[in-house]
């Protein structure tokens, strides 16, 4: 994968390197499960909500999935498209959707669309393209409940990454298990970390929750 990284006024570079384990998990799961499970479509579908600059989208597309990438920020969508072009993925089956994540999910439920895998990177606070306000602690449990309705009959995984929130990974586990327990598997949770260069200490950057078969 190739992508653009540069400094921004809000201290981001367009890539969160601690996510590399998630990208590897996405690719490995898509490639192995689809080859082994005859109940899955030959081209699995992945929904990436709050997709930002799209590296998780590229990872899924490279593994053979068709991806729906949703973000409320037009600059982020533009950046993600540039990353896809840098990776030579202009012809990959990726839908780029500029929309509020909650509103998009509600419409997809009404349309009856489903996905084999869902990735979410919700911010602690944000605004939709028409001024909708997002607050993680208030809105995430509601969104998690709705997102579950978009899972296909044989889902592969659900990944949630969270940054700069006041809640713990246990909260993430509880909310995800409340909505995914009917699928039978446990939710894995933990911290996202980077290793300090000199002391080799792990430095926490955020938390994650991951359900998979």
């Amino acid at each position: 994968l190739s992508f653009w990284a540069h400094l921004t006024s809000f201290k981001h570079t367009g890539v969160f390197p601690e996510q590399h384990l998630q990208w590897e998990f996405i690719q490995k799961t898509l490639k192995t499960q689809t080859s082994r499970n005859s109940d899955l479509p030959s081209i699995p579908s992945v929904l990436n909500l709050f997709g930002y600059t799209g590296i998780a989208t590229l990872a899924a597309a490279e593994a053979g999935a068709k991806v729906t990438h949703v973000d409320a920020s037009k600059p982020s969508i533009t950046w993600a498209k540039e990353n896809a072009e840098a990776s030579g993925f202009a012809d990959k089956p990726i839908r780029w959707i500029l929309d509020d994540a909650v509103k998009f999910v509600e419409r997809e439920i009404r349309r009856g669309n489903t996905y084999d895998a869902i990735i979410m990177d919700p911010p602690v606070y944000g605004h939709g393209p028409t001024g909708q306000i997002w607050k993680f602690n208030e809105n995430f449990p509601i969104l998690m409940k709705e997102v579950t309705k978009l899972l296909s009959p044989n889902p592969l995984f659900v990944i949630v990454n969270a940054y700069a929130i006041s809640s713990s990974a246990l909260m993430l586990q509880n909310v995800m298990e409340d909505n995914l327990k009917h699928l039978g598997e446990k939710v894995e949770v933990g911290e996202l970390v980077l290793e300090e260069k000199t002391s080799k200490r792990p430095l926490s950057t955020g938390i994650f929750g991951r359900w998979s078969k």
Side-chain angles (χ1 to χ4, degrees), residues 50-179:
F50 311 95
Y52 191 42
T53 58
I55 303 177
T57 291
L58 302 184
E62 193 277 335
K66 57 182 179 181
V67 188
T68 299
H69 175 107
V70 182
D71 200 282
S73 166
K74 188 173 182 178
S76 292
I77 291 281
T78 299
W79 197 337
K81 289 180 178 179
E82 291 171 351
N83 286 340
E85 292 174 3
S87 293
F89 287 0
D91 296 329
K92 293 284 187 181
I94 302 173
R95 286 199 302 159
W96 306 103
I97 308 294
L98 176 65
D99 202 353
D100 174 74
V102 176
K103 296 298 183 184
F104 176 80
V105 167
E106 291 172 349
R107 285 196 295 273
E108 287 292 88
I109 292 171
R110 291 196 295 269
R111 294 169 182 144
N113 291 334
T114 60
Y115 297 87
D116 301 305
I118 296 175
I119 306 163
M120 291 189 281
D121 285 60
V124 62
Y125 183 83
H127 291 278
T130 57
Q132 304 95 328
I133 295 176
W134 167 271
K135 295 181 179 179
F136 184 92
N137 287 343
E138 295 178 14
N139 299 111
F140 172 68
I142 299 171
L143 178 60
M144 188 70 236
K145 182 178 180 179
E146 294 302 293
V147 159
T148 306
K149 301 174 185 177
L150 293 178
L151 289 172
S152 68
N154 295 286
L156 293 173
F157 59 80
V158 177
I159 298 173
V160 179
N161 302 296
Y163 290 85
I165 67 171
S166 58
S167 302
S168 70
L170 288 176
M171 178 281 301
L172 205 55
Q173 181 176 16
N174 290 338
V175 173
M176 292 182 71
E177 287 186 347
D178 283 346
N179 292 283

